Amino acid sequence: MDIFPEATNAEETLDPPDWADVGALSHRILDDAIAYLEDVRNRPVWREMPAEVRAFFGAPLPRSPAPAADVYDDVARNVMPYPMGNIHPRFWSWYMGSSNFTGALGDFLAAIQGSNLGGGNHAAALMDSQVVNWMKEMVGFPASASGTLVSGGSMANIIGLTVARNVKAGVDVRERGVGAMPKPLRYYASDQVHSCHRKAVEALGLGNQALRRIQTDAGLRIDIAALKAAIAEDREAGFRPACVIGTAGTVNAGAVDDLRALASVAAEEALWFHVDGCIGALIAIAPKNRSLVAGIEQADSIALDPHKWLHAPFEAGCALVRDASQHRNTFAVTPEYLKSTPRGLASGEWLHDYGLQTSRGFRALKIWMALKEHGVEKFGRLIDQNIAQARHLTRLIEAEPALELMAPTTINIVSFRHRLDGASEEKLKAFNTEIMLRLQEEGIAALSDTTVQGRHCLRVAIANHRTRRDDLDLLVAEMLRLGREIAATATLM
Ligand SMILES: *Cc1c(COP(=O)(O)O)cnc(C)c1O
């Protein structure tokens, strides 16, 4: 006799009625994905979406089911053909990595296993800690340091700057808040510092004015004498100098602050030394260029970005803190429902005690699989390769009278512009912007633009394992062609 008649087949689930159908569709998706990457070089870097594609995303909330194959067809038709473009060999906009297939498999498997990396006693948690340990080793941090995988560099910087605030506050800032601090804190960074630090000091309750931007030298590195003067001035004025942020690879022009000099200033002045290494921390694994970031191993905290030069699929950032107890003391809170047990699933340390998130994704797997497959030495060579490619482009620009280098090339970022005889700065900006937009719209290459030392310029950031030198040769040829075409139509000029 059936005691619970309504509990037999009545419940619903998200699992498919027939796993064999799922297999067929999944194999098709996988085949399409492989073909997609194999063919990436032959597609435009970027293209504008037609009106019907834009309209597709206005569709209302689906209320009733659709076959999974139809759902995939929608994605194949409306999403896959219109990517941002950063997996393409000629994408050099802003600053991001170009992903990799093994990493994508890692993301898939992480979702299949589905573990929550808030912590607990399971294999994914051990792998998460192992990847953090590997990151420490890459930048020369001691094994006793701590760290956490986060969404990206911005979050990793917030982690470091929060630990700095709590250690230097002069009160129990967790309990009493910034209002109870005896003196307002001051942080220091170069005027090239990434915008996420502004958001960080604002969110930390210190205010944007607490982040003093120090002038840079001709190489766009923080001016050490000016830094020392600012610290002295602030002490005199009743502030508490708390933290110096060194940038290993500025987003504007790829400048690398003198990290050794910053480490000594921090030691002399008893400041926290944080390194924003979102771009450049991993140069520490590049055999030909690692001396550029010497001193990074002396930092108190480092932010780095595996979704940049390790090409992890988004998102993957990493914060490292030299003193694990300072790190943990900044974030650890153990509510009743998350108490550890001596054995079983809830034994061991909670990974969420090292940051702001409670639930955390299994980001480690995509990084782990790609590192295992290729080995860290290959990633180091790829970094050297990108830096060599940037030097190649720099030489092409220097040899071409129509082009002008706008900042020294230190690593993999090249700032330059197309000249235009007799044109004002304003016209040069319009002319170069037009070149940049046509390069995008014609699907040739994606560059971005910026302002360096008050002058507008175009910017190529090569954090791309698919770029080849002939892609850069093509870029120069196409820029010259577009320059001629735009100058000839003269609508702008
Ligand atoms: C990219 C970058 C960041 C921000 O990192 P996200 O991963 O985009 O959050 C911070 N600082 C520098 C120098 C960067 O290049």
Side-chain angles (χ1 to χ4, degrees), residues 78-271:
N78 296 297
V79 180
M80 298 309 282
Y82 306 101
M84 174 171 247
N86 52 299
I87 65 165
H88 192 282
R90 286 190 302 278
F91 183 97
W92 306 302
S93 283
W94 308 295
Y95 200 99
M96 49 189 91
S98 41
S99 197
N100 72 91
F101 185 71
T102 302
L105 291 178
D107 253 357
F108 173 72
L109 291 172
I112 291 294
Q113 206 220 27
S115 294
N116 186 330
L117 273 290
N121 179 18
H122 52 91
L126 291 185
M127 184 178 279
D128 189 279
S129 302
Q130 183 181 28
V131 166
V132 169
N133 286 337
W134 288 351
M135 298 290 158
K136 295 191 286 197
E137 198 176 327
M138 287 187 214
V139 299
F141 251 30
S144 58
S146 56
T148 182
L149 297 177
V150 290
S151 56
S154 304
M155 283 309 300
N157 279 307
I158 287 181
I159 299 281
L161 301 194
T162 308
V163 183
R165 182 197 65 178
N166 290 15
V167 169
K168 299 295 178 185
V171 291
D172 180 354
V173 74
R174 288 189 68 181
E175 200 53 42
R176 299 182 54 206
V178 289
M181 294 188 316
K183 291 178 177 179
L185 302 186
R186 280 287 194 255
Y187 285 40
Y188 305 85
S190 89
D191 56 20
Q192 302 293 305
V193 71
H194 191 273
S195 58
C196 72
H197 295 276
R198 174 182 176 158
K199 288 197 199 178
V201 291
E202 288 177 6
L204 288 173
L206 303 173
N208 181 35
Q209 288 177 5
L211 177 59
R212 277 195 70 168
R213 279 77 165 175
I214 306 297
Q215 72 195 58
T216 42
D217 62 19
L220 296 164
R221 304 168 359 138
I222 190 167
D223 180 326
I224 303 290
L227 169 66
K228 287 183 176 167
I231 295 170
E233 184 185 286
D234 282 346
R235 278 201 208 287
E236 188 67 21
F239 295 103
R240 180 193 289 253
C243 173
V244 60
I245 302 164
T247 303
T250 59
V251 69
N252 241 355
V256 180
D257 287 339
D258 184 342
L259 302 179
R260 283 201 182 119
L262 290 179
S264 355
V265 173
E268 282 157 26
E269 301 280 353
L271 305 186

Side-chain angles (χ1 to χ4, degrees), residues 250-476:
T250 59
V251 69
N252 241 355
V256 180
D257 287 339
D258 184 342
L259 302 179
R260 283 201 182 119
L262 290 179
S264 355
V265 173
E268 282 157 26
E269 301 280 353
L271 305 186
W272 186 270
F273 177 31
H274 175 79
V275 174
D276 179 348
C278 289
I279 289 176
L282 289 165
I283 295 175
I285 63 170
K288 295 197 175 125
N289 288 286
R290 58 167 60 109
S291 63
L292 285 170
V293 295
I296 194 167
E297 71 290 344
Q298 295 177 52
D300 292 302
S301 54
I302 303 176
L304 57 106
D305 235 354
H307 64 206
K308 287 179 175 170
W309 247 335
L310 290 184
H311 305 293
F314 292 118
E315 304 164 339
C318 180
L320 300 176
V321 181
R322 171 177 303 280
D323 183 326
S325 62
Q326 290 176 335
H327 185 185
R328 192 170 185 285
N329 289 343
T330 298
F331 297 107
V333 175
T334 308
E336 301 310 304
Y337 48 88
L338 289 175
K339 284 263 188 311
S340 297
T341 52
R343 303 195 315 279
L345 175 57
S347 61
E349 230 190 353
W350 288 100
L351 297 170
H352 66 225
D353 279 342
Y354 293 89
L356 294 162
Q357 290 180 256
T358 304
S359 293
R360 300 174 63 246
F362 189 8
R363 295 192 176 95
L365 185 55
K366 59 190 168 194
I367 304 172
W368 191 96
M369 285 178 66
L371 276 169
K372 279 288 245 193
E373 181 190 13
H374 298 289
V376 69
E377 288 177 1
K378 177 154 179 189
F379 284 97
R381 290 197 302 274
L382 286 170
I383 291 170
D384 278 337
Q385 176 170 296
N386 282 162
I387 294 174
Q389 287 165 338
R391 290 183 185 147
H392 172 71
L393 176 61
T394 303
R395 282 191 294 273
L396 294 179
I397 292 164
E398 283 169 341
E400 173 50 63
L403 302 178
E404 178 182 12
L405 196 66
M406 300 295 284
T409 302
T410 313
I411 49 171
N412 59 336
I413 299 179
V414 183
S415 303
F416 67 115
R417 68 182 176 187
H418 197 303
R419 292 184 207 262
L420 190 61
D421 283 343
S424 63
E425 284 296 316
E426 200 184 327
K427 278 193 174 159
L428 272 164
K429 180 173 179 180
F431 178 61
N432 278 279
T433 304
E434 185 64 20
I435 292 175
M436 173 181 79
L437 293 177
R438 291 208 198 168
L439 284 168
Q440 292 170 8
E441 285 166 346
E442 294 183 19
I444 299 165
L447 334 180
S448 51
D449 62 345
T450 188
T451 303
V452 173
Q453 285 166 337
R455 295 186 306 173
H456 176 261
C457 53
L458 301 182
R459 183 178 159 285
V460 164
I462 316 170
N464 194 319
H465 61 86
R466 298 191 174 100
T467 298
R468 303 194 297 233
R469 280 183 189 222
D470 53 17
D471 290 312
L472 298 162
D473 299 341
L474 178 77
L475 169 68
V476 169

